[in-house]
Amino acid sequence: MTSTVPALGTCTAEGSALEAVLLDMDGTLVDTEGFWWDVEVEVFAALGHTLDESWRHVVVGGPMTRSAGFLIEATGADITLADLTVLLNDGFEDRIGRALPLMPGAARLLTELHEHAIPTALVSASHRRIIDRVLTVLGPHHFDLSIAGDEVSRTKPFPDPYLLAAAKLGAAPTRCAVVEDTATGVAAAEAAGCRVVAVPSIAPISPAAGRTVVTSLEEVDLTFLRGLMTEMG
């Protein structure tokens, strides 16, 4: 579900070099990274396998094909990638149907961006069916468009999803602020040339050139995001 994409050249807010804000979903806006792991544990338990807790850091933030493929190989489970993908998506959709908590500061940030008409995209490695369910809670009006992991030939950690989102918004990637919670997502955004705000959810992320690390979205507002562009000169 998407709303109308603004025309080329309408993206830059007056007095700011910030042209667009691109936001990850799981673990960034909604507190669901733990949901994915719980579903993976349950699905593999039903298949007769126990997942090692250390694998959680391997699969977090990655595309379904990578995460599911790793778990099949690691456990030796007798299931195809296609069948496992269906089971994981079904389990996750059931969980978010029961509860979908937002990350602290998410609702306030989305409202502020919308009120100031900042072009905003939801960019996730999750599949379209999952994104559309989550959008009903986040509010589809908060986003000019959304990019799903099953809609690009290469998803995170490749830059393709962020490059596509920027192009559709008519924004230069270097003038886009990306908010991510995992190293995989950060790698994708940085490869696209975007300025990155990392809000680590499961595994720590270190500060780096062009990357700002915060502990919560409550530290992030429009002034903060515009300031990232100012630092670029």
Side-chain angles (χ1 to χ4, degrees):
M1 182 183 299
T2 58
S3 57
T4 303
V5 177
L8 182 65
T10 64
C11 293
T12 305
E14 184 177 354
S16 170
L18 176 67
E19 295 184 357
V21 177
L22 316 177
L23 300 132
D24 173 55
M25 188 177 75
D26 294 302
T28 298
L29 294 177
V30 288
D31 191 7
T32 51
E33 287 292 11
F35 284 14
W36 281 113
W37 178 249
D38 291 343
V39 170
E40 288 160 349
V41 168
E42 291 174 2
V43 167
F44 275 89
L47 295 171
H49 298 275
T50 300
L51 300 188
D52 191 304
E53 182 69 24
S54 67
W55 297 342
R56 182 172 185 171
H57 296 289
V58 178
V59 300
V60 66
M64 177 76 73
T65 51
R66 189 194 76 183
S67 300
F70 169 82
L71 292 175
I72 290 173
E73 183 176 354
T75 61
D78 184 18
I79 188 171
T80 66
L81 180 60
D83 287 343
L84 178 58
T85 296
V86 171
L87 291 177
L88 293 177
N89 274 326
D90 285 348
F92 186 79
E93 196 165 356
D94 176 66
R95 279 185 176 264
I96 63 176
R98 287 180 272 145
L100 184 57
L102 300 187
M103 298 299 286
R108 187 263 315 148
L109 177 59
L110 291 176
T111 297
E112 183 180 15
L113 294 175
H114 180 68
E115 289 177 346
H116 287 82
I118 303 298
T120 303
L122 185 66
V123 183
S124 175
S126 289
H127 289 187
R128 170 55 57 188
R129 61 178 284 197
I130 300 299
I131 288 180
D132 284 346
R133 285 292 302 273
V134 174
L135 277 172
T136 62
V137 175
L138 291 176
H141 63 284
H142 286 127
F143 303 94
D144 295 284
L145 61 91
S146 57
I147 305 291
D150 56 342
E151 295 172 340
V152 290
S153 58
R154 301 190 309 174
T155 188
K156 305 172 188 179
F158 294 99
D160 304 38
Y162 283 115
L163 291 174
L164 179 60
K168 283 180 172 290
L169 291 173
T174 55
R175 292 298 175 180
C176 292
V178 169
V179 186
E180 273 280 1
D181 73 304
T182 67
T184 299
V186 167
E190 291 181 344
C194 304
R195 296 286 293 192
V196 178
V197 179
V199 193
S201 60
I202 302 296
I205 298 173
S206 301
R211 178 195 312 166
T212 302
V213 180
V214 298
T215 58
S216 168
L217 283 183
E218 293 181 319
E219 300 175 44
V220 181
D221 58 15
L222 184 52
T223 298
F224 178 93
L225 295 173
R226 283 176 169 161
L228 299 179
M229 301 299 123
T230 302
E231 292 171 8
M232 293 174 59

